[in-house]
Amino acid sequence: MLSNIQGITDALEKALGGEELSFQDGLQLMKEENLFSLGVAADMIRKKTCGNLVTFTSSYYLNYTNVCAASCPLCAFYRKGDEEDAYTLTIEQIVTRAGIAVKQMGANELHIVGGFHPKLGLEYYERMMKEIKSRYPEVTIKALTPAEIFFIARLTKNSIKEVLIRLKDAGLDTLPGGGAEIFGTESRDKIVRGKCSGEEWLDTVRQAHELGLTSNSTMLFGHVEKIKDIVDHVLKIRDLQKKTNGFNTFIPLKFSLDNTELEQDGTITMESPSTYDLRIIAVSRLLLSNVLNNISIYWVALGKKLAQVALSYGGNDLVGTAFSEEIFKASGKGTVTSIEELINLIREVKKEPALRNSYFNIVKRFDS
Ligand code: SF4
């Protein structure tokens, strides 16, 4: 059907034929391809790979500190330690919240991330995981982005491998995909300050995968990046996935502008248009085809309505309930939902909702 559409690019023909796309193909899709053709192709590949299911997890977000040694211009969340609204949760507070998440809210996953706290030792994280696991062994601990792991290793003068081994022994199950931002150095240097490089992020993930820890992967878009950065980033994720097969999903994250330095200094005045957001999602699906099957749509960043549309542009997952999310909230995004609302959002676009675990195994289907 699609090959009848006039002006279809060679790259799209290749994608539909099941061929692996090159960097040049990616550029062509980003620059030239008609958005609707792109969407149809991405949706066809999604359907072939994932059927009509759209998944999500029941996740509770635990942002253990907003104190951060870095000061990324993209970030509205971080505080310096002496600021009035700086906070760091004690292990007891964390365990109490974990209990509320698991017992009262039905969370099957704890998503634990925070700032780069300059004074917390490795023991803090080990105790956090041990205490949670001893009380709630059924919950999956998805904690510490590769960027945090890298920071903790540097701070505590341990190797990345040593940090990962100790945290895994303490109860760490899998890693979130944050901190990847955009790998291209020229753009990355404009949006982060004091965070690991793209190469260091990828190397940390590689080491985690080699130890048997899976992880998510992300890409932050809609800031100062060029389209070559988008293609380069997705292909670097693809290359690593081919080597380790350790990524559970790829999450293209739309940049949220409010309350960031990038907004305040006028570097960026508007968030990206929804047509660009959908193009990124569709191109991600096409570039990762046959290598990484899950493309997650983070409704918190995209908004619920556009997230629904994105499910027809290659997305097959809505990430999760994100109970208690603080990071995007700091940049003005609404983060309140329920399992029922996610089910309805999925059903409204004629897809079948399913609760999954952190590794994308189906836990429960919801019959209509
Ligand atoms: S993005 Fe992360 S590392 Fe950068 S300032 Fe914010 S909390 Fe710190």
Side-chain angles (χ1 to χ4, degrees), residues 104-120:
Q104 295 177 24
M105 303 175 88
N108 59 7
E109 173 186 279
L110 298 177
H111 174 107
I112 307 176
V113 298
F116 296 168
H117 197 296
K119 292 194 180 140
L120 293 176

Side-chain angles (χ1 to χ4, degrees), residues 13 27 35 43 57 65 148 212 216 256 271 337 345 358 360:
E13 289 272 15
L27 289 182
L35 178 63
D43 196 49
T57 187
T65 185
E148 285 169 273
N216 291 349
S256 288
E271 291 187 357
T337 195
L345 287 173
S358 310
F360 282 75

Side-chain angles (χ1 to χ4, degrees), residues 84-363:
E84 206 180 316
D85 52 353
Y87 73 86
T88 302
L89 300 181
T90 63
I91 301 297
E92 291 66 33
Q93 287 171 321
I94 290 171
V95 172
T96 302
R97 289 196 191 187
I100 293 168
V102 177
K103 295 295 173 200
Q104 295 177 24
M105 303 175 88
N108 59 7
E109 173 186 279
L110 298 177
H111 174 107
I112 307 176
V113 298
F116 296 168
H117 197 296
K119 292 194 180 140
L120 293 176
L122 188 48
E123 297 72 23
Y124 171 86
Y125 303 98
E126 286 181 304
R127 256 194 76 211
M128 177 198 295
M129 310 223 175
K130 279 184 185 154
E131 297 279 340
I132 294 172
K133 273 286 167 176
S134 68
R135 287 175 174 78
Y136 311 108
E138 69 275 29
V139 77
T140 302
I141 300 182
K142 173 158 71 72
L144 305 178
T145 66
E148 285 169 273
I149 299 282
F150 183 87
F151 173 80
I152 294 165
R154 281 277 166 94
L155 180 73
T156 62
K157 299 188 172 35
N158 287 292
S159 68
I160 289 165
K161 189 172 177 186
E162 178 69 16
V163 170
L164 288 165
I165 289 172
R166 280 178 58 177
L167 293 177
K168 190 173 178 222
D169 287 347
L172 176 65
D173 292 307
T174 184
L175 265 56
E181 320 307 1
I182 199 82
F183 295 142
T185 312
E186 204 182 310
S187 296
R188 186 179 186 85
D189 287 350
K190 291 183 184 142
I191 63 168
V192 305
R193 191 184 298 122
K195 185 177 280 195
C196 62
S197 69
E199 288 71 30
E200 288 162 340
W201 187 95
L202 286 160
D203 182 60
T204 304
V205 172
R206 180 188 57 73
Q207 295 193 52
H209 291 179
E210 285 173 2
L211 290 169
L213 287 161
T214 61
S215 75
N216 291 349
S217 57
T218 62
M219 171 179 70
L220 191 72
F221 68 86
H223 40 84
V224 300
E225 82 277 6
K226 310 270 191 314
I227 59 171
K228 70 176 169 52
D229 296 323
I230 297 289
V231 179
D232 167 74
H233 189 106
V234 179
L235 293 191
K236 283 190 169 129
I237 295 289
R238 186 176 77 183
D239 286 348
L240 185 54
Q241 178 71 346
K242 280 195 208 166
K243 288 185 190 127
T244 65
N245 199 29
F247 288 124
N248 295 312
T249 188
F250 180 66
I251 315 173
L253 291 170
K254 179 185 170 89
F255 169 65
S256 288
L257 180 61
D258 288 0
N259 306 322
T260 64
E261 189 181 313
L262 291 170
E263 179 196 36
Q264 282 150 10
D265 68 11
T267 304
I268 302 175
T269 52
M270 285 171 76
E271 291 187 357
S272 54
S274 47
T275 46
Y276 180 75
D277 305 343
L278 294 173
R279 181 174 293 272
I280 298 276
I281 289 158
V283 169
S284 300
R285 168 63 72 185
L286 296 172
L287 289 176
L288 293 171
S289 180
N290 297 322
V291 178
L292 182 44
N293 289 337
N294 297 307
I295 305 292
S296 294
I297 306 301
Y298 194 40
W299 60 269
V300 173
L302 217 52
K304 291 169 187 165
K305 290 296 176 192
L306 188 58
Q308 283 182 309
V309 180
L311 297 176
S312 295
Y313 277 77
N316 67 297
D317 179 73
L318 278 186
V319 181
T321 48
F323 295 134
S324 201
E325 201 279 343
E326 295 291 338
I327 293 174
F328 277 82
K329 203 176 178 183
S331 61
K333 292 288 182 283
T335 64
V336 178
T337 195
S338 61
I339 288 179
E340 291 69 32
E341 188 185 23
L342 292 183
I343 291 170
N344 285 337
L345 287 173
I346 295 164
R347 282 192 179 139
E348 277 173 9
V349 291
K350 309 285 180 239
K351 294 193 163 58
E352 297 163 34
L355 184 70
R356 62 165 172 85
N357 64 16
S358 310
Y359 313 102
F360 282 75
N361 300 313
I362 303 301
V363 174

Side-chain angles (χ1 to χ4, degrees), residues 68 70-72 74-75 77-78 115-116 195:
C68 191
S71 52
C72 301
L74 65 85
C75 181
F77 174 69
Y78 77 93
F116 296 168
K195 185 177 280 195

Side-chain angles (χ1 to χ4, degrees), residues 29-81:
L29 295 178
M30 284 299 298
K31 275 197 290 207
E32 295 167 26
E33 189 52 63
N34 172 292
L35 178 63
F36 299 109
S37 313
L38 207 52
V40 172
D43 196 49
M44 284 167 75
I45 292 172
R46 174 207 54 81
K47 200 165 184 186
K48 204 166 114 194
T49 314
C50 314
N52 207 33
L53 275 193
V54 172
T55 51
F56 60 91
T57 187
S58 176
S59 54
Y60 183 92
Y61 281 39
L62 235 159
N63 300 122
Y64 57 93
T65 185
N66 63 355
V67 175
C68 191
S71 52
C72 301
L74 65 85
C75 181
F77 174 69
Y78 77 93
R79 296 291 181 271
K80 292 299 151 195

